[in-house]
Amino acid sequence: MRVITFFIVGLTVHVVFFLSIFDIYFTSPLVHGMTPQSTQMNPPASRLVLVVADGLRADSLFTLLPNGSSRTPYLRRVIEENGTWGVSHTRVPTESRPGHVALIAGFYEDVSAVAKGWKENPVEFDSVFNESRHTWCWGSPDILPMFAKGASGDHVYTHTYPAVEEDFASTDASRLDSWVFTQVKSLFESAKSNSTLKASLLMDKNIFFLHLLGIDTNGHAHRPMSEEYLNNIGLVDKGIAELVPVMEEFFGHDGRTAYVFTSDHGMTNWGSHGAGHPSETLTPLVVWGAGVNVAQRVTEPQSYEDHFLQEWKLEHIRRVDVNQADIAPLMASLVGVPIPVNSVGVLPILYLNNSGQFKAESMYTNAIQVLEQFKIKMMQKKETTLSFFFTPFQQLTESKQAEITHKARILIQLEKYNEAISLCQSLISLSLEGLLYYHTYDRFFLGCSVVLGFVGWTSYVILVILKTHASLNRHPHFSKQRSSRTVAKLCMCVAVMITAFLLIQRSPVTYYIYCLLPVPVWFVVYKESGALKDLFRSIPSLPLWKCLGYFVLVTFGIELLVVSFFNRAVLTVGLGVLSLWPILTGLFTKAKFRSLSWFLGCLCLSAFPLMPVVGREPNLHLVSGGGLLTLFTSASFFWSSRQRTPLQFRDGRQFFAQMLLVAVCACVPTFTHSSLQQKRGLPLLNQIISWSTLGSSILVPLLSSSRLFHRLLSIFLSLTSTYLLLSTGSEALFPPVLSWLMFAWINIEQEALLAQGVSGRLELSTIDFSANIDISKIRQLKLDDIRRSYFFVFFIITAFFGTGNIASINSFDPASVYCFLTVFNPFIMGGLMMWKVIIPFIIVMCTFESIQVATQLSSRSLFLIVLVISDVMALHFFFMVQDYGSWLDIGTSISHYVIVMSMTIFLMLLSVVTHILTSKRLTLCASPKMHFP
């Protein structure tokens, strides 16, 4: 197979394996076709006010001030006298869109929504707003439109401020919340002179939704412990205290208004959210008004394992915790609208202040609504599965459903309301278990197909390595062609049978890909299996003990890398072991200075995995220090390479300009953050410098000399300039330390090559990336090349986890992108953070490209070994997913599998980029080609 064909096929296979995990574990749980369910009894409220304080932590609301007073006196009085309170437990990802979907639609968002930035509706869903008579919404343009778009009819009215107002550099983000309160008051004021609007407002089943983004914005910009964040909470409390009397007066104090105050997610101490820390998942819930229980005094200790009740001085008031999705059926019951058909929430009965019959009927409605989803899901799976293969959910068969619903109905008629409520809660629990059962029905089948294809692909790559890049005793295989035809026919028959099976079951298109892919993969494995016979014939001439030693070491090394995904400190241990490599192999005695440079580089780099992943306060002095270290490192290598290879004036001028840019970029974050702290906004000049540096970071190296060290130095300076702009602390020191170690690796590999006695070894000072390769000098793979490939994978993992960058994608500090923009934009901000993660990758990739050239190997040979190592790691995580029972453990292993597969795909793509970066050169004007002396 030609290199380009192999690259395209390999990339396609890995993309399929990458996407498979989403098809297996992250398909949308929603089903359609259910009948909306509502309680026939009169609801206690005619209207409901939902106030969501975006980014508000539970402790920030409930904790008292040191003097014993509350920063939210109105809500505190509600908690202690007029309403019911508790903690709403959110789920990962703790982002604004999934949180609001759980609150208003009653189900937990699937991962498909992330592709649209949590803004648009990847799937249609029902919501409390959709079921209402009218809904008026005020707040962020990122949240409100999705509920208006998903609603049937035109009864959801949204009022949003411009998106540019969501500025982290704003002088006062609390003005966003003030705008909302002002607009709501204006609505009721204008209704006094607008009879049509007044008539609409006075109807029943109306909902008013206030989305308050100021707290979240201030938390990102200033941290949750800041004066801005805490003062914004006080402003929200004051706004509610002023709004409630306005609404009560408008509706004539009829006592028919219910109020729900909560949050979509919390926030960490360092101003981020998205992960599962308690500060992110614990949000406040305060409910009062029509149909809601007033505060219940308790004397006995409440059964909560945390110590929040004592900390918040609320141990004497009954606390009622809920899951976030439970709020949707609560709102539906209070205002008398059907529960959203996709809701998986369970009605929290303790919040209701109504008759036992109303509570039992409401819970029965909730149970039937969830059961309807189970029935549709079961029917869909039954229709797409052959009857003799279908295995129903035994705990909730059709007869069992009828028995439970009939018994619940009888208990309500007999006025045994508590028993009926308990039975309905059991039915909901069984229905949710059944929904999960049918949702994951094909998971094992698809998992086996993917594993079969994955193992086949990895086997094929190993056989390609043995066939084309290893020095084995070759023998012709004359009978192979005839048997290959027979196997090809057999494979065609298997493919037809699989296709027919999937057609009968009306399976999705992606199922065909996952199930059919192993067929051609294993066919080519069979075709290349002659390499195994060559390997067996070559065994007598191979150093078996050395081979076994390498196998054991690489196996142990791969396990080390797998463990590093769970504990980053393992990378520190690994770097400590790698630092001893020259000593253990005897290279230290032959190249003391290079070995010492390697040793110190490994030890310095080993400190980074021990640093905090998240929660670091910005330290811009370290960013400036990273710039100085970059300048020192580049100056050292610039001087060293100049001694060995004279530099032309043009290239010297470019290096000087790049070093000057590094110095500027080291200062820009300091000036930017200083301007933001003084609330003067993002300076335009800083923004121009930042975007210009980012845009030129790939092009500038192409203008430099293509000599090995000159080109690498230009790449390092160009990428580090951008990295400094995206840094807020110690991570700014990472690229120069990594680059120092990479330069040391290139040098010491030359000594290792010399120790192996490789003839015709190239001097590093003479290597030109753009020079034509002498094919006659390309050598076959040796055992030591496995070690080189492993080193590369190890450094890639270290580059990824060395500064905790994995946390900065989902739970990153927005301050990292303040040099570029301060207005919230998930795609641009996410893209910038992704580029920050990729920069160390490119540095390692360019180093690996240099080592392949310097050690006289084809660009394909070493990379095939890298593919095998990364694929084995991915398979390891895939098997771990199958073994785990809890969703938390499964989610962790899935994320690790996704990371490894993403890295493999990125490496394949970056191999092309790095080849261009290292070997190509742009000329700004037509001039004779200049040669090095």
Side-chain angles (χ1 to χ4, degrees), residues 41-191:
M41 298 182 67
N42 292 327
S46 297
R47 67 203 67 90
L48 181 136
V49 181
L50 171 63
V51 182
V52 178
D54 203 307
L56 177 61
R57 294 159 46 142
D59 59 343
S60 297
L61 179 74
F62 296 134
T63 303
L64 297 176
L65 296 172
N67 61 8
S69 64
S70 173
R71 66 173 53 88
T72 56
Y74 181 82
L75 289 174
R76 185 77 180 192
R77 188 168 64 253
V78 169
I79 291 170
E80 295 180 345
E81 299 175 8
N82 306 329
T84 302
W85 77 284
V87 174
S88 172
H89 297 262
T90 69
R91 286 192 186 179
V92 176
T94 47
E95 299 286 354
S96 289
R97 178 195 159 101
H100 282 87
V101 169
L103 287 169
I104 300 168
F107 72 92
Y108 298 102
E109 188 77 281
D110 62 281
V111 176
S112 62
V114 76
K116 295 195 175 184
W118 304 117
K119 290 183 179 182
E120 297 295 332
N121 293 345
V123 289
E124 294 301 321
F125 59 84
D126 192 18
S127 70
V128 176
F129 295 173
N130 184 51
E131 298 292 351
S132 68
R133 191 178 305 278
H134 298 100
T135 295
W136 287 267
C137 309
W138 298 267
S140 167
D142 294 329
I143 297 299
L144 305 191
M146 69 177 176
F147 292 104
K149 181 180 177 180
S152 58
D154 55 355
H155 64 282
V156 178
Y157 315 108
T158 61
H159 307 272
T160 64
Y161 38 75
V164 293
E165 295 294 326
E166 299 177 12
D167 191 346
F168 295 132
S170 169
T171 54
D172 186 8
S174 63
R175 75 184 191 284
L176 301 176
D177 299 342
S178 298
W179 181 91
V180 170
F181 288 120
T182 301
Q183 293 295 314
V184 179
K185 293 174 186 175
S186 297
L187 176 77
F188 288 102
E189 187 64 31
S190 61

Side-chain angles (χ1 to χ4, degrees), residues 9 194 282 291 403 518 525 613 624 685 786 795 839 916:
V9 171
N194 186 331
L282 302 183
E403 178 187 342
V525 167
V613 178
S624 301
L685 178 61
I786 300 176
F795 287 134
I839 284 174
I916 294 172

Side-chain angles (χ1 to χ4, degrees), residues 2 11 16 21 55 105 129 135 170 244 275-276 301 460 469 551 568 577 627 733 780 826-827 853 869 878 931:
R2 295 176 60 187
L11 186 63
V16 169
I21 203 72
F129 295 173
T135 295
S170 169
V244 170
Y460 170 69
H469 300 284
F551 177 77
R568 293 166 61 241
V577 174
L733 302 170
Q780 295 282 55
F827 284 113
V853 174
I869 295 173
F878 198 92
H931 298 278

